[in-house]
Amino acid sequence: MAPLIGRRMRKGAATTAVAAAAMAALTASQAPGFANSDHGDRSREQRAGEAPAPDDTPIDGGSSYHTDLPPLVTPDKPGSSIDLPGLPGGSSTKPEAGIPASVLAAYKKAEATLRESNPGCNLPWELLAAIGKVESGQAGGGNVGADGTTVSPILGPVLNGDGFALIKDTDGGAYDGDSRHDRAVGPMQFIPSTWASWGRDGNGDGEKDPNNVYDAALAAGGYLCANGRDLSVKADLDRAILGYNHSREYLNTVLSWFEYYKRGTHEVPDGTGGIPSGNDSGSGDKGKDPGKKPGKGGGKGPGKGQENDAHTLPKPDDEPDTTTPTPPADGNEGTPGTGTPTPKPPTTPPSTPSGTSKLTTVGAKELSTTAGTGFDRSPRVKAVNTAGKPVAGARVRYEILGDTDTRFLGLVKSATVLTAADGTAIAPKLLAGEKTGTFTVRATAVGREAAPVEFTATVKARPVPQADALARIGDKKLTARTGASFADALTVEATNKGKIMADVPVTATMITSAKDPKPNDKGPCFLDDKGKPVRTLAALKTNGLGRLTLPEILTDDQAGTFLLRLTAEGGAVLDIELTVTQAPAA
């Protein structure tokens, strides 16, 4: 054990310096939106399709994680970080900047999916890469099959309360092979009980598998975006990462890798990615030392603080925990065993993306659609500075105001987006509900005094489907005896210019004759919702196939030939003859 401790001691100063440099770069670079936060007044509506967070259960169950930090060399090309910390033996075939092909594809696919379903989250794939690096060393250096499933299991330590959280088995050992206690599973290290709520199918095979990097990356992205978080806001970014593992060292480590990958990376073949160092066997075989996480520190060693036992996921309808994690008892907030604290970011707020002084409208300010459909065009604005030049990377917040059930894609009423290189910011797609009327969409430059821009949006009633023809399905003569009912159902089909028409309103009326179509007061009838006989039904519509099957038609004591007239919206008329014969005397 002495050589391992020595290695970590020698790395201490360097890794602390790296953490300080990375955190300083993160703060100084001021990626769009990191300077200001509108977190407090943003809508906290849960995104559509998100599973609720299980109470008091962290993503990885409070397991250990990799504490290696990125090298100081900018990862601008393959081989640029050779022979730097984090590469066992300084192997030139496993540069830290390289991410295995399938793993990288999974992160980018998750980003693209969430950009569509939850655009206000602004999830960067580099954040998934940073968490994947810390949680599993990019799936053990990309040790995955063609479909993205790990070749051998990646399991965390047994969560039996001995140095880790106590989580009794929830999956019967289906995922982690342990029927007594849970263990974190897969590239993004979900415990089975958490996966049950947050699991996703990221590769479209119909399965939700925590061992598949596509599924796990999308699930992790869904969690990071939960509760309306906007990851371009520094406060939301920190909350999301701390929710994954409530440790200040974990936060700093993930942010260091996040900044590192943002400065550049490249694809390497699966199975050739860098493997982080650590006090482990380096095996993903769950049959070996079940108390240690493959590629991570096990037991109570580095990478696992006791504070992890208490952290929880934020509940979807609650504000996330914003308290600062308690530092270790010795006051050292840096890398365990170094005795050197990690420098804190500057307390003075850095500048925002420079010069946003005005928002201007791009395109029409009036938008409209019909109920239940999407708007053809989204609101869009352009951010310019005092010289009239476009401002890239500025944060623009769109809000839906007024009495409406229209929502942005993701079923939210507000979303923050970033301006593109030409200064434009396009709102997420607007989806109209059933409520008609006019409302306002307001665009605001976050953290700036620029006047907001407002758009007028109108939802119109759906046009009533019409039919120019009604035809009966079948030609069997309709007959019944007095005091009974017609045994055969009556079905008709509505068309307009030969096209089948759904949802066409139809009225059915018993009439005296075709020449004198007055409502008849005797003969066949229907029953209303109270069971009383009626001879006119107006609340009828064709189905999705353009067909309408009439309710049961009953007879009274009148025998003879009667006429039923069906009238469709649009003018189509169909008369159907009904014959009633006298029932035999008792």
Side-chain angles (χ1 to χ4, degrees), residues 234-256:
K234 183 62 166 65
D236 278 9
L237 177 69
D238 286 357
R239 288 184 181 94
I241 298 171
L242 286 171
Y244 219 103
N245 194 312
H246 200 74
S247 159
R248 179 60 56 182
E249 184 201 10
Y250 183 87
L251 173 66
N252 289 344
T253 305
V254 169
L255 288 177
S256 297

Side-chain angles (χ1 to χ4, degrees), residues 472-487:
R472 183 186 168 195
I473 303 299
D475 56 2
K476 185 177 181 180
K477 188 175 181 179
L478 297 175
T479 61
R481 290 181 176 180
T482 56
S485 64
F486 289 84

Side-chain angles (χ1 to χ4, degrees), residues 50 121 123-124 127-128 131 188 198 217 219-227 229-231 236-237 239-241 244:
E50 283 184 355
C121 173
L123 171 76
L127 178 58
L128 293 175
I131 291 176
M188 303 304 279
W198 290 96
Y223 162 70
L224 294 168
C225 289
N227 295 329
R229 280 192 287 254
D230 176 3
L231 299 179
D236 278 9
L237 177 69
R239 288 184 181 94
I241 298 171
Y244 219 103

Side-chain angles (χ1 to χ4, degrees), residues 120-153:
C121 173
N122 294 302
L123 171 76
W125 67 262
E126 294 90 345
L127 178 58
L128 293 175
I131 291 176
K133 181 70 173 179
V134 170
E135 287 291 337
S136 70
Q138 309 298 21
N143 188 27
V144 298
D147 65 346
T149 301
T150 57
V151 174
S152 57

Side-chain angles (χ1 to χ4, degrees), residues 252-317:
N252 289 344
T253 305
V254 169
L255 288 177
S256 297
W257 282 107
F258 178 39
E259 181 62 23
Y260 181 73
Y261 287 133
K262 282 167 57 183
R263 296 200 301 271
T265 186
H266 59 277
E267 178 184 300
V268 298
D270 289 344
T272 65
I275 306 295
S277 61
N279 54 333
D280 63 274
S281 64
S283 170
D285 186 352
K286 65 186 177 182
K288 297 180 182 181
D289 193 356
K292 293 184 178 181
K293 191 171 194 173
K296 300 188 179 186
K300 299 181 182 181
K304 171 66 175 68
Q306 292 301 312
E307 57 191 335
N308 286 334
D309 293 340
H311 79 275
T312 62
L313 288 177
K315 299 179 181 64
D317 296 326

Side-chain angles (χ1 to χ4, degrees), residues 562-582:
F562 300 89
L563 206 59
L564 169 62
R565 171 162 289 185
L566 300 177
T567 305
E569 186 74 27
V573 176
L574 176 65
D575 290 340
I576 298 174
E577 191 174 89
L578 304 174
T579 301
V580 180
T581 59
Q582 187 68 48

